[in-house]
Amino acid sequence: LRDSYRRQRELRLKYAFGVVCLVIIGVVIILSIPSKKPPEEQVPTPTPSASVTPSATATPSPTASPTPLQMVLIEGGEFQMGRDMKDGGDPYESPSHPVTLNAFYIDVYEVTREEYQKCIDDGKCEKPSEWNGGTYPADTGRLPVTGVTWEDANRYALWAGKRLPTEEEWEFAARGAEGRLYPWGNNWKPGQANIGSDGLAEVGSFKGTLPVKLFDMIGNAQEWTSSGFRKYPDKKTYLLTGFPPEQLRVIRGGSYKDSPGKVTATYRDALRMSGEASYAQTGFRCVRNAPPPPVN
């Protein structure tokens, strides 16, 4: 048994030795085979691209502030409001005093009949009492709308996404920072405005103010403002009239019936917000707040 066991052990050792030799030979053969690397990815050489010119219709940046349709921007600033009596002013427009305003947009033209008709059609405005059949007379759509109460004008402004101007804004737009007595300068010039005539003229018929090109700030239709009829310069005390002061609103610019002395940019008058016998000479234009300048 001992010899049999010895012989079996020898055979096992020989077999194991042979297996080890075969494994070593196989490893040597594998290592001797040259490795083949995958071909490198071909990266094309970049070619210069054409320069890109920004499109003129590119979307504006968030800080851009395009001017609303048929409105102009009045830059904010300080001006002297009113006119002293020694300079020809009357008790209602004196004393002259400094006022500072923020920037705002203002309509280039007085609101026309055809524009106001859209508000009527939308069910937000009442037709003027002078209109028959629910609309304005044919071929008069470009005349300023008149015959409107203050409430009528205010409703339209809200419907249009705007508001009525304060009398400070109105005067600043008409006079500019230079403090002109008339929109074009300090002296009256015939033909610059529709005054002393037989009736209304289409908006834009007369030269606008310089340099912002507003039309009919003087004459044509006198214009509603949002301001109560208060004393200068504190503007806290109402001016005494024959009507309750809270029922009055300032009108500016004079109408086609007036004379040069009553259409200066400083001249003030007032009407009851409603209840007058007629508003046939009274119209309006609107303003809109300007966004604040971007912060640097």
Side-chain angles (χ1 to χ4, degrees), residues 86-157:
K86 66 180 179 61
D87 297 324
D90 64 28
Y92 297 109
E93 60 189 281
S94 62
S96 176
H97 57 284
V99 171
T100 301
L101 295 174
N102 294 325
F104 60 96
Y105 293 105
I106 188 168
D107 288 344
V108 173
Y109 307 109
E110 294 165 322
V111 174
T112 65
R113 293 178 174 183
E114 61 187 6
E115 290 170 333
Y116 190 82
Q117 180 71 55
K118 295 175 183 177
C119 183
I120 296 173
D121 295 342
D122 202 32
K124 303 299 183 182
C125 292
E126 299 291 333
K127 73 177 183 67
S129 58
E130 292 87 353
W131 292 9
N132 295 319
T135 189
Y136 54 85
D139 301 324
T140 64
R142 292 294 295 165
L143 294 180
V145 63
T146 56
V148 289
T149 66
W150 187 90
E151 287 91 344
D152 291 333
N154 190 55
R155 275 193 292 266
Y156 175 91

Side-chain angles (χ1 to χ4, degrees), residues 278-294:
S278 174
Y279 293 94
Q281 302 168 45
T282 308
F284 63 99
R285 75 182 70 216
C286 302
V287 299
R288 180 182 293 176
N289 295 341

Side-chain angles (χ1 to χ4, degrees), residues 30 33-40:
I30 292 173
I33 299 173
S35 61
K36 293 184 179 181
K37 296 182 180 179
E40 295 184 358

Side-chain angles (χ1 to χ4, degrees), residues 109-113 142-148 170 193-197 199-204 206 215-225 251-258 262-263 271 279-285:
Y109 307 109
E110 294 165 322
V111 174
T112 65
R113 293 178 174 183
R142 292 294 295 165
L143 294 180
V145 63
T146 56
V148 289
W170 190 98
N194 179 26
I195 71 163
S197 72
L200 295 165
E202 291 189 355
V203 299
F206 291 83
F215 289 79
D216 302 310
M217 293 293 284
I218 296 299
N220 218 23
Q222 58 191 9
E223 299 178 14
W224 285 113
T225 74
I251 56 172
R252 288 301 200 108
S255 76
Y256 65 90
K257 286 189 173 183
D258 288 320
K262 291 187 176 183
V263 295
L271 288 173
Y279 293 94
Q281 302 168 45
T282 308
F284 63 99
R285 75 182 70 216

Side-chain angles (χ1 to χ4, degrees), residues 49 71 76 111 119 167 183 226 288 296:
S49 59
M71 301 186 87
V111 174
C119 183
E167 67 166 326
S226 63
R288 180 182 293 176
N296 295 327

